């Protein structure tokens, strides 16, 4: 077909000359590039068969690298080979990538071209954990160094779409001269993509590229120790409370003596020498003996009675909050005050989206239906917000009734460790509006998402005052220490801190103990030790066990934790 077009153009040129027009007319689709090659201005897929790079923003995580191999891009050509996949993620046309924040695909077109549209084809399959990203960013460049950001194309499907379904993210341009094209793909759980097309024409015609000026990052930096953002907290410890089917049945409870090595740093004889944690985050132990679970999808959905049960446990006189108040009071009578203040953070359990009969929380005699599949997104959101507001009010009511002399209610914590957009399109709205309500009461709202969990990078927009990210390094045997480097860098660049994790096995397993110490060492290297408020996850009473141990190796875990918190 091309030779026919050329002949027609040449005939047209001859007619113009014969009519006294210009002495020479260039065929509209023909041009020589800088290397003297003949080129066409016909719109084609410029990326077809072109090389590209596929990169993570941080070192490749060794734990997940092996998982990705089943959906790899071994020849580095799958995304520009012109082959599209079906709606089955097992189709060999797909490249699959898991977690690790995002992926960046950079295509070298090999020579200048005029780009009019960039397309990314992706798969969504909710039951298999494959999600459409909330948005894809596209950029173009002449030299691969200075880039023009064309903007972001948003996902057009409801986040709760079961799938499998395909979508093309398309960004149009006016025909700018470029050589390089970049596509940035957020990855939450799995992302599957099969083809990138760059539609345009070869040659140097088109608009001149003007690079986008560097934009400041307003979120960059850790949440500072003792800051208002952190509710004045320097170092926080997670305190679980809940039912236990084994003996002792009250194991997941804390007495005054249990709190002693957390409020204060104690010596081998359990005598207080200094203050230790100033933040105490109370969290419900997820499984309940009746089969219900505070998690978003595990077990039976919790209801009002379960939320009340957790509050009943917290506000006991001899356990939890009552015990903590007495432990702090005793510490202050023993040690100089040194402006010590014990700040309490109370968890808001997750109002589950599969609960049709939560219970009446607003006194109208009608049980709240939170089931989004039965009442729809807007009604489910309204009813869930009733629940969180009722819960916050109940906390303040009980707190005032107790009148704790040595505790401050500083913050609330969101239980679910990811924004559950696969369950509700409006889950982030519940979080945001709950945060607004918490702040109206004078407290802050905090969150600890797991490793690159959904919502980790837009925690602030979702209504949290502060967030820390879980590295989950201690629990993934195949992860290497650069996992901690990745989390520290990602956290700093996005305004989060880093949760520090330890379990009882740290006391007896040398490998896991070394892993725990690596959290502390990386805190020094990446400065979250000095700059960020922290939270320490423990397996119920790990640090209590370490403090009481007569084994020097186990006791060292407690001592080194204290040294870390004191900046030594």
């Amino acid at each position: 077909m091309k030779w026919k077009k050329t002949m027609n153009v040449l005939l047209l040129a001859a007619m113009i000359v014969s009519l006294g027009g210009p002495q020479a007319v260039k065929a509209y689709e023909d041009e020589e590039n800088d290397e003297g090659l003949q080129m066409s201005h016909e719109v084609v897929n410029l990326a077809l068969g072109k090389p590209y790079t596929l990169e993570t923003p941080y070192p490749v995580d060794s734990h997940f690298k092996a998982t990705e191999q089943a959906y790899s891009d071994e020849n580095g050509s799958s995304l520009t080979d012109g082959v599209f996949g079906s709606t089955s993620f097992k189709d060999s046309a797909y490249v699959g990538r898991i977690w690790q924040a995002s992926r960046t695909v950079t295509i070298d077109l090999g020579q200048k071209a005029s780009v009019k549209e960039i397309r990314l084809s992706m798969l969504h399959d909710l039951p298999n954990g494959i999600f459409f990203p909330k948005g894809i960013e596209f950029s173009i460049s002449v030299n691969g160094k200075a880039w023009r950001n064309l903007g972001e194309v948003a996902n057009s499907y409801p986040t709760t779409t079961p799938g499998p379904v395909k979508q093309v993210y398309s960004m149009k341009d006016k025909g700018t001269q470029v050589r390089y094209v970049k596509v940035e793909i957020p990855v939450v759980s799995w992302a599957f993509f099969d083809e990138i097309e760059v539609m345009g024409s070869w040659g140097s015609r088109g608009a001149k590229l003007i690079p986008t000026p560097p934009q400041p990052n307003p979120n960059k930096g850790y949440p500072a120790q003792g800051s208002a953002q952190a509710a004045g907290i320097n170092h926080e410890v997670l305190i679980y409370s809940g039912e236990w089917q084994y003996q002792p049945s009250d194991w997941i409870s804390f007495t005054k003596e249990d709190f002693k090595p957390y409020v204060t740093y104690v010596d081998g004889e359990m005598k207080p020498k200094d203050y230790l944690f100033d933040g105490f985050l109370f969290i419900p132990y997820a499984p309940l003996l009746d089969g219900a679970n505070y998690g978003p999808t595990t077990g039976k959905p919790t209801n009002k009675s379960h939320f009340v049960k957790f509050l009943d446990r917290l506000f006991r006189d001899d356990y939890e909050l009552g015990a903590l108040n007495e432990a702090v009071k005793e510490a202050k009578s023993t040690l100089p005050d040194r402006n010590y203040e014990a700040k309490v953070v109370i968890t808001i359990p997750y109002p589950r989206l599969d609960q049709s009969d939560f219970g009446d929380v607003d006194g109208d005699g009608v049980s709240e239906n939170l089931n989004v599949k039965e009442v729809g997104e807007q009604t489910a959101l309204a009813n869930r917000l009733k629940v969180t507001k009722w819960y916050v009010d109940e906390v303040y009511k009980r707190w005032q009734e107790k009148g704790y002399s040595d505790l401050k209610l500083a913050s609330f914590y969101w239980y679910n460790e990811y924004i559950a957009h696969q369950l509700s399109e409006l889950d982030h709205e519940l979080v945001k509006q709950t945060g607004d309500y918490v702040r109206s009461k004078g407290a802050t709202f905090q969150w600890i998402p797991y490793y690159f969990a959904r919502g980790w990078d837009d925690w602030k927009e979702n209504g949290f005052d502060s967030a820390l990210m879980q590295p989950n390094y201690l629990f993934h045997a195949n992860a290497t220490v650069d996992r901690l480097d990745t989390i520290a860098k990602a956290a700093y660049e996005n305004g989060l801190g880093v949760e520090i994790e330890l379990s009882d096995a740290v006391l007896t397993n040398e490998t896991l103990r070394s892993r725990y110490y690596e959290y502390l060492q990386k805190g020094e290297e990446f400065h979250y030790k000095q700059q960020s408020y922290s939270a320490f996850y423990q397996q119920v009473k790990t640090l209590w066990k370490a403090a009481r141990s007569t084994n020097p190796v186990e006791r060292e875990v407690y001592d080194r934790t204290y040294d870390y918190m004191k900046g030594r």
Side-chain angles (χ1 to χ4, degrees):
M1 295 297 292
K2 181 180 176 183
W3 68 271
K4 290 183 179 179
K5 292 182 180 179
T6 303
M7 288 300 295
N8 289 336
V9 172
L10 292 175
L11 288 171
L12 176 62
M15 291 172 61
I16 295 174
V17 171
S18 68
L19 294 172
Q23 295 300 304
V25 177
K26 188 81 172 174
Y28 78 97
E29 84 279 17
D30 292 337
E31 181 181 350
E32 290 185 356
N33 68 3
D34 296 338
E35 290 75 30
L37 298 175
Q38 198 75 0
M39 308 180 70
S40 168
H41 290 293
E42 181 183 358
V43 175
V44 296
N45 178 11
L46 305 170
L48 188 63
K50 294 299 184 290
Y52 57 86
T53 59
L54 174 55
E55 301 172 303
T56 61
Y58 310 105
V60 175
D61 193 298
S62 57
H63 178 79
F64 294 113
K65 182 178 180 180
T67 308
E68 291 180 344
Q69 291 306 305
Y71 315 101
S72 66
D73 184 17
E74 294 179 0
N75 299 321
S77 61
S78 294
L79 299 180
T80 58
D81 61 3
V83 179
F84 290 83
S86 64
T87 54
S88 171
F89 70 90
K90 296 180 181 179
D91 193 315
S92 61
Y94 285 108
V95 175
R97 291 294 181 265
I98 185 171
W99 302 117
Q100 302 173 75
S102 64
R103 298 297 186 277
T104 300
V105 181
T106 305
I107 302 173
D108 181 358
L109 300 178
Q111 53 197 5
K112 284 185 180 179
S114 176
V115 170
K116 295 187 177 181
E117 185 180 9
I118 309 170
R119 305 170 183 164
L120 170 67
S121 174
M122 297 196 70
L123 175 70
H124 172 92
D125 189 351
L126 193 151
N128 287 300
I130 303 170
F131 306 142
F132 283 143
K134 63 181 179 181
I136 303 293
E137 286 199 2
F138 297 86
S139 303
I140 52 179
S141 174
V142 174
N143 56 16
K145 297 178 182 178
W147 293 88
R148 177 184 168 195
N149 189 324
L150 296 177
E152 181 179 273
V153 177
N155 168 38
S156 61
Y157 279 81
T159 57
T160 54
T161 301
V165 65
K166 295 192 66 176
Q167 175 177 196
V168 174
Y169 291 81
S170 173
M171 172 63 74
K172 295 185 182 299
D173 187 54
K174 59 185 178 181
T176 307
Q177 296 178 31
V178 305
R179 174 172 170 172
Y180 298 89
V181 172
K182 182 164 64 178
V183 182
E184 297 185 59
I185 309 166
V187 179
V188 176
S189 188
W190 280 100
F192 272 64
F193 30 94
D194 55 353
E195 195 70 13
I196 298 176
E197 299 173 285
V198 180
M199 307 307 296
S201 55
W202 295 113
S204 57
R205 292 187 182 186
K208 183 179 180 181
L209 184 141
I210 301 175
T212 304
Q215 300 296 312
N217 181 356
N219 291 330
K220 193 171 186 177
Y222 299 122
Q225 293 181 11
S227 64
Q229 177 188 12
I233 295 169
N234 293 290
H235 301 289
E236 180 174 290
V237 62
L238 277 61
I239 302 294
Y240 282 88
S241 178
E243 299 174 341
W244 186 239
Q245 60 180 316
Y246 309 105
Q247 294 300 320
S249 59
D250 64 348
W251 173 243
I252 312 180
S253 300
F254 281 74
T255 65
K256 183 185 78 170
E257 289 303 310
D258 294 334
F259 275 121
K260 192 172 182 178
Y262 295 95
V263 174
T264 59
Y265 170 69
V266 297
D267 62 17
E269 297 179 351
M270 297 298 288
K271 294 180 179 179
K273 297 296 181 182
D274 195 1
Y275 290 103
L276 195 57
F277 291 102
D278 64 341
F280 301 85
L281 166 53
F282 288 88
I283 303 180
Y285 182 64
L288 290 148
L289 296 185
D290 65 359
N293 195 293
Y294 288 106
T297 58
T298 305
K300 296 189 299 186
T302 47
N303 57 34
K304 181 181 178 182
S305 69
H306 299 113
F307 281 44
V308 169
K309 179 177 288 189
F310 177 57
L311 292 180
D312 288 345
R313 292 184 65 87
L314 290 190
F315 286 92
R316 292 178 292 176
D317 291 335
D318 296 330
Y319 295 90
E320 272 62 304
L321 291 173
L324 177 60
N325 189 67
E326 292 304 309
V328 173
K329 187 185 300 183
E330 182 178 291
K332 286 184 174 181
S333 69
T334 305
L335 296 171
D337 190 335
R338 302 180 191 173
N339 298 316
Y340 175 80
E341 183 179 57
K343 290 163 278 288
V344 170
V345 183
I346 294 181
T347 295
I348 300 176
Y350 189 69
R352 286 182 51 156
L353 286 147
D354 55 350
Q355 175 57 268
S356 304
D357 184 18
F358 182 82
D360 179 19
V361 298
D362 57 2
D364 65 355
V366 178
S367 177
E368 318 305 337
N369 188 341
L370 317 182
N371 195 317
V372 67
K373 294 181 179 179
E374 295 178 358
V375 299
E377 290 281 1
Q378 292 293 340
T379 300
L381 171 62
N383 290 342
R384 296 173 79 206
L385 188 59
K386 286 182 185 179
V387 169
T388 58
K389 287 183 175 181
W390 157 77
Y391 180 86
V392 170
D393 289 343
E394 186 67 18
V395 168
Y396 275 102
K397 174 177 173 289
R398 294 183 183 219
W399 188 275
Q400 291 168 0
E401 289 173 351
K402 290 295 184 181
Y404 297 117
S405 60
D406 290 88
L407 303 179
K408 177 184 178 181
L409 179 54
S411 188
F412 285 83
Y413 171 77
W414 189 243
Y415 181 85
N416 200 25
E417 296 175 354
Y418 61 94
I419 303 300
H421 278 149
Q422 59 268 53
L423 303 177
S424 167
E425 291 186 73
L426 299 179
D427 199 57
H428 66 288
E429 278 297 326
L430 174 65
V431 175
K432 186 176 181 179
Q433 293 183 46
T434 299
D436 289 341
Y437 191 70
V438 163
R439 281 182 287 276
S440 75
K441 296 288 188 177
T444 67
F445 197 29
Q446 62 172 252
W447 189 41
I448 309 179
Y450 61 74
Y451 173 93
F452 290 118
R454 202 167 197 170
W456 77 273
D457 55 345
D458 53 2
W459 59 269
K460 192 172 185 179
E461 291 81 355
N462 288 333
F464 296 109
D465 294 291
S466 64
L468 308 173
M469 184 142 64
Q470 304 173 33
N472 301 137
Y473 171 61
L474 188 74
F475 314 111
H476 289 168
N478 294 329
T480 53
V481 72
D482 56 11
R483 162 79 67 87
L484 296 177
D485 298 11
T486 289
I487 295 299
K489 291 174 183 177
Y492 183 81
E493 290 174 4
N494 291 275
L496 298 87
V498 178
E499 183 184 59
I500 299 172
E501 300 160 320
L502 71 160
S503 65
D504 288 357
V506 165
L507 304 180
T508 57
N509 184 302
E510 183 177 356
T511 299
L512 292 180
R513 188 162 53 251
S514 296
R515 281 181 171 251
Y516 172 61
Y517 290 153
E518 284 169 340
Y519 282 82
L520 308 185
Q521 292 161 3
K522 292 298 181 180
E524 176 78 25
E525 179 180 344
F526 288 96
H527 309 296
Y528 57 81
K529 168 184 175 180
Q530 303 93 334
Q531 298 176 12
S532 178
Y533 95 94
S534 65
F536 284 72
Y537 166 84
Q538 58 167 350
Q539 188 179 340
V540 185
K541 298 177 182 176
T542 303
L543 288 173
W544 173 85
K545 288 182 174 181
R548 294 167 56 91
S549 178
T550 57
N551 183 326
V553 173
E554 296 180 5
R555 170 69 197 201
E556 185 184 19
V557 171
Y558 182 73
D559 293 335
R560 288 185 64 169
T561 302
Y562 168 72
D563 288 340
Y564 175 90
M565 291 168 57
K566 296 302 176 179
R568 295 196 288 267

